[in-house]
Amino acid sequence: MKAMIQNFAKSESGAVTVDWVVLTAALVGLGLAVMAVVSAGVENLSDDIGNSLANANPETSPFAGNTDITATTDIALD
């Protein structure tokens, strides 16, 4: 019984699993952080595109009602 406990204590096979779990959790956390930062800008841009499409009149002048999305303050293209 004592040898079995010593072998279990010396075994390192579970350490690799713990490393992968920690790395995966860090990657998921990083992805959520990036999504939180980028989502507001994407939402504003999609609203601008939706408004431009709603205001377009393809029968007369398809581009007359479009707004210049590069002029908005929520997007930096520099």
Side-chain angles (χ1 to χ4, degrees):
M1 178 84 160
K2 185 177 180 181
M4 195 165 74
I5 293 174
Q6 287 176 347
N7 284 340
F8 178 75
K10 290 180 184 179
S11 177
E12 295 183 7
S13 62
V16 175
T17 303
V18 171
D19 289 343
W20 277 105
V21 168
V22 170
L23 288 172
T24 303
L27 194 62
V28 168
L30 183 65
L32 290 173
V34 168
M35 186 181 71
V37 170
V38 172
S39 65
V42 171
E43 185 176 350
N44 289 339
L45 182 60
S46 66
D47 287 342
D48 290 344
I49 292 171
N51 290 335
S52 294
L53 289 174
N55 294 333
N57 186 359
E59 294 178 354
T60 57
S61 178
F63 304 110
N66 289 354
T67 57
D68 185 12
I69 61 170
T70 59
T72 60
T73 57
D74 57 345
I75 304 171
L77 298 177
D78 297 316

